[in-house]
């Protein structure tokens, strides 16, 4: 499945046209088979930090293994290259593959640093030149979003679960799949992306959106209205059962029953009947304290009475820390008052335009953030808002065994000549 996905999205034509004009010039001069070495690295650490994670290696290797020009590819190049291009060059392209190319790289997911080459490509000059743009495309964003995910993981701490949910904000379908795959490598636990789950084996999760809640307006829309207890028996009228629990919950919490939104209660009931073992609604479509939370507690109590195990709730707006503290207090109050221990294990998921900075700020409120079990992140994760490009480069360092160096009007763009040996110094505690 991964092979099919990669071959469909990465063609040898996925490169800049000047790679072909250079390859032709090498071929025309008889230099195309000269042994050459390129190195791939970035100049500055992203996000104002001190490291990056290397990602995209498996995609690069798959691309190289399947590098072949189709007949239609060659005919297209014939139509766009200058008309005086020697026809024999196109015959050369038809026979081209990467069997003579060698790759040396650090392992996928390894911590790497600015100006240290983490991918070395060696082989015939013309073909390793042709690979430049494609390899940069496969590595740049993958490494950037993987690094961003690692920074979110550091901000969240090691125990809190992180959910990637950025597909709708990603730069196109390929960007969405790449983000899901490499944020998982970077430390996220789950994705909402169903296709990424199928292609890459990433655990997927998801329950309901606000649109589901607001689509209901009356309990008359709930159908079916009954639920068979988990341990078997006759179907129970869940609406009547939940109404009874709702009155008791409102009395316990001091909530006015008339402020509960009937449509929200209907949505929760309908979903609970569909998925009694996977009940985790979003509770802030209207008012958390006046409607969403009481409705959840009533439905959860009814499910527990029928020996099902609800999961918890999701918060998607407002002060997440403050609300999570209040939700946890209500869970404990219900657990003690109604003698339902399951309420102690309910999880709280928060998903409100979370950024690395806001996550770090939440973490400072230790006593409040403690009650949030999982955080969903979308826009700021997959778009890498604060640093939209890693800026990887692919530079020639050796031809025919002779070092090559780029000098520039901009000293930052100068390169170090020759092949490099990469090593890392560790202190007595095993730290870099």
């Amino acid at each position: 499945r991964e092979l099919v996905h990669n071959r469909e999205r990465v063609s040898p034509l996925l490169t800049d046209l000047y790679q072909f004009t250079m390859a032709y010039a090498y071929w025309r001069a008889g230099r195309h088979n000269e042994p050459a070495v390129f190195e791939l690295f970035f100049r500055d650490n992203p996000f104002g930090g001190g490291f990056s994670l290397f990602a995209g290696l498996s995609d690069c290797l798959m691309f190289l293994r399947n590098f072949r020009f189709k007949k239609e590819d060659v005919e297209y190049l014939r139509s766009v290259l200058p008309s005086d291009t020697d026809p024999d060059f196109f015959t050369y392209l038809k026979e081209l593959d990467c069997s003579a190319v060698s790759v040396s790289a650090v392992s996928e997911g390894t911590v790497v640093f600015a100006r240290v080459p983490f991918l070395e490509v060696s082989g015939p000059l013309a073909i390793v030149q042709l690979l430049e743009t494609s390899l940069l495309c496969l590595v740049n964003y993958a490494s950037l979003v993987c690094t961003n995910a690692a920074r979110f993981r550091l901000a969240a701490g090691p125990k809190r679960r992180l959910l990637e949910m950025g597909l709708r904000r990603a730069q196109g379908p390929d960007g969405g799949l790449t983000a899901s795959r490499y944020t998982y490598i970077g430390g996220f636990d789950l994705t909402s992306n169903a296709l990424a789950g199928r292609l890459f084996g990433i655990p997927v999760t998801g329950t309901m959106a606000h649109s589901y809640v607001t689509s209901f307006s009356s309990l008359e829309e709930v159908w079916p209205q009954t639920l068979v207890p988990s341990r078997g028996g006759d179907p129970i009228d869940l609406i009547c059962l939940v109404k009874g629990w709702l009155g008791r919950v409102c009395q316990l919490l001091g909530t006015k029953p008339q402020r509960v939104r009937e449509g929200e209660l209907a949505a929760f009931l309908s979903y609970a009947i569909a998925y009694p073992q996977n009940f985790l609604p979003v509770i802030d479509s209207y008012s958390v304290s006046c409607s969403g939370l009481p409705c959840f507690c009533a439905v959860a109590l009814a499910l527990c009475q029928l020996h099902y195990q609800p999961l918890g709730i999701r918060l998607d707006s407002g002060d997440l820390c403050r609300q999570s503290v209040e939700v946890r207090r209500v869970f404990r109050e219900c657990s003690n008052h109604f003698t339902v221990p399951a309420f102690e294990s309910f999880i709280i998921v928060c998903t409100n335009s979370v950024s690395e900075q806001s996550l770090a700020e939440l973490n400072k409120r230790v006593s409040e953030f403690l009650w949030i079990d999982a955080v969903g992140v979308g826009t700021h994760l997959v778009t890498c808002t604060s640093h939209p490009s890693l800026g990887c480069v692919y530079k020639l360092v050796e031809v025919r065994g002779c070092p090559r160096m780029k000098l520039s009007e901009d000293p930052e763009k100068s390169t170090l000549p020759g092949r490099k040996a990469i090593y890392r110094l560790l202190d007595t505690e095993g730290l870099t």
Side-chain angles (χ1 to χ4, degrees), residues 247-255 330 333-335 337-338:
R248 297 171 68 182
V249 168
C250 288
Q251 184 176 14
L252 174 66
L253 303 181
T255 302
V330 169
E333 199 166 345
C334 287
S335 174
H337 186 80
F338 299 118

Side-chain angles (χ1 to χ4, degrees), residues 1 28 188 212 214 378 398 431:
R1 292 175 302 185
R28 193 74 176 79
F188 272 59
Y212 180 82
T214 57
E398 184 181 288
L431 301 176

Side-chain angles (χ1 to χ4, degrees), residues 74-95:
V74 175
E75 291 307 309
Y76 171 74
L77 289 171
R78 193 191 303 272
S79 72
V80 296
L81 288 174
S83 58
D84 56 351
T85 302
D86 189 325
D88 288 345
F89 176 66
F90 300 107
T91 302
Y92 162 74
L93 290 180
K94 288 179 182 178
E95 299 171 352

Side-chain angles (χ1 to χ4, degrees), residues 7 15 37 48 53 112 147 149 151 192 206 256 302 362 416 422:
R7 291 186 68 179
T15 188
V37 180
L53 296 185
V112 291
T147 304
R151 295 177 64 88
S192 65
K256 296 180 180 179
L362 289 173
L416 293 176
I422 302 170

Side-chain angles (χ1 to χ4, degrees), residues 207-319:
T207 53
M208 70 169 68
H210 294 104
S211 57
Y212 180 82
V213 177
T214 57
S215 73
F216 288 84
S217 59
S218 168
L219 290 174
E220 295 178 358
E221 296 171 293
V222 178
W223 188 262
Q225 299 182 346
T226 60
L227 181 64
V228 176
S230 176
R231 299 176 183 176
D234 296 330
I236 302 297
D237 186 329
L238 195 62
I239 293 181
C240 290
L241 187 61
V242 167
K243 281 183 175 180
W245 278 115
L246 181 61
R248 297 171 68 182
V249 168
C250 288
Q251 184 176 14
L252 174 66
L253 303 181
T255 302
K256 296 180 180 179
Q258 60 268 30
R259 297 192 64 181
V260 172
R261 300 294 294 251
E262 184 176 335
E264 188 165 36
L265 182 61
F268 290 5
L269 272 163
S270 183
Y271 197 88
I273 291 169
Y275 288 110
Q277 299 281 27
N278 193 41
F279 183 57
L280 194 156
V282 58
I283 65 169
D284 65 336
S285 297
Y286 302 107
S287 168
V288 172
S289 60
C290 294
S291 183
L293 187 54
C295 285
F296 169 79
C297 290
V299 176
L301 285 163
L303 289 175
C304 289
Q305 184 177 340
L306 300 181
H307 304 291
Y308 290 101
Q309 177 62 51
L311 298 180
I313 58 94
R314 179 164 72 95
L315 294 167
D316 191 49
S317 61
D319 187 329

Side-chain angles (χ1 to χ4, degrees), residues 97-109:
D97 61 26
C98 288
S99 58
V101 174
S102 297
V103 174
S104 298
V106 302
S107 300
E108 188 119 56

Side-chain angles (χ1 to χ4, degrees), residues 129 168 237 302 310 362 393:
Q129 180 70 70
R168 65 187 60 194
D237 186 329
L362 289 173
V393 293

Side-chain angles (χ1 to χ4, degrees), residues 40-46 49-54 106 110-118 390 422-426 431-432:
L40 198 155
F41 60 93
F42 56 90
R43 296 190 175 103
D44 298 295
N45 291 312
F51 73 96
S52 180
L53 296 185
F54 171 44
V106 302
T110 298
V111 173
V112 291
F113 303 100
R115 297 190 170 274
V116 178
F118 48 86
L390 182 55
I422 302 170
Y423 58 91
R424 187 160 298 169
L425 299 178
L426 305 178
L431 301 176
T432 301

